[in-house]
Amino acid sequence: MPTENSIKIMPKAVVCEESNLRGDITFSAGCVVHPSATVIAEAGPIIIGENCILEEYTTIAHRLQAGASWNANNILSIGTHNVFEVGCTVEAARIGDKNVFESKCFVGPGVTVPSGCVVGAGIRMHTAQLLPENTIVYGQQALQREGIEKQSSQTLQIDFLRKVLPNYHHLRKPNHDPKKARSVV
């Protein structure tokens, strides 16, 4: 793992100063990161897509496997419009778009979550697996079924949080502008 943190925050992202961020992490435009959320990039960089919400005590980890070392090409890419609710722990191999990880759920490192999935409150997924798209995982036995409706966008919640969080918390300033980073041809 690199010796120092490399946190890139795009414009319009709201990242609270009280969040715990370690490693090479990129927050795309529109992300909202609550205080006490933790993001750990041990195995490689983490790129969090646009308009994702990381609520309090959420942990997103890209951990090293035994005997492995940090690799800049080993990227954990998290899609757009995902919601990580209070107290969830997600170490998934890949995460698509418009997923909801409900409170206190655990998703292990061998799990791939495509798009439109809901992992229910308190669900524990330790076994390596690829969930089908639009899957809802629920109940004590982590039963799975196909969702009938597509997950809706969290635009209203993001807009509300973008207005309210700066009133009560110190924010990390956006420090990366993709328009300025492009080379002029």
Side-chain angles (χ1 to χ4, degrees), residues 1-23:
M1 187 161 133
T3 55
E4 58 187 60
N5 293 333
S6 174
I7 312 299
K8 293 178 221 54
I9 303 172
M10 301 297 168
K12 295 188 179 179
V14 175
V15 180
C16 289
E17 189 70 46
E18 299 94 342
S19 57
N20 180 9
L21 309 174
R22 293 186 302 198

Side-chain angles (χ1 to χ4, degrees), residues 27-145:
F27 294 99
S28 299
C31 286
V32 175
V33 182
H34 287 253
S36 301
T38 301
V39 182
I40 303 168
E42 284 179 359
I46 296 177
I47 300 173
I48 300 175
E50 293 182 357
N51 299 315
C52 289
I53 301 173
L54 282 68
E55 294 182 358
E56 292 88 348
Y57 304 109
T58 290
T59 300
I60 297 176
H62 188 32
R63 299 198 189 277
L64 284 172
Q65 300 300 321
S69 61
W70 191 87
N71 181 350
N73 296 322
N74 183 12
I75 298 171
L76 171 57
S77 181
I78 298 174
T80 62
H81 300 281
N82 290 297
V83 179
F84 300 87
E85 293 184 357
V86 176
C88 72
T89 300
V90 179
E91 299 180 4
R94 191 185 79 71
I95 301 170
D97 302 325
K98 292 188 176 181
N99 297 296
V100 177
F101 299 89
E102 292 185 353
S103 298
K104 304 274 186 171
C105 74
F106 174 83
V107 179
V111 180
T112 299
V113 182
S115 296
C117 296
V118 177
V119 179
I123 296 292
R124 309 205 52 81
M125 300 178 73
H126 294 280
T127 310
Q129 60 186 297
L130 167 61
L131 292 176
E133 290 214 3
N134 301 318
T135 298
I136 297 173
V137 184
Y138 65 98
Q140 289 183 326
Q141 288 81 34
L143 301 172
Q144 297 180 15
R145 69 172 179 86

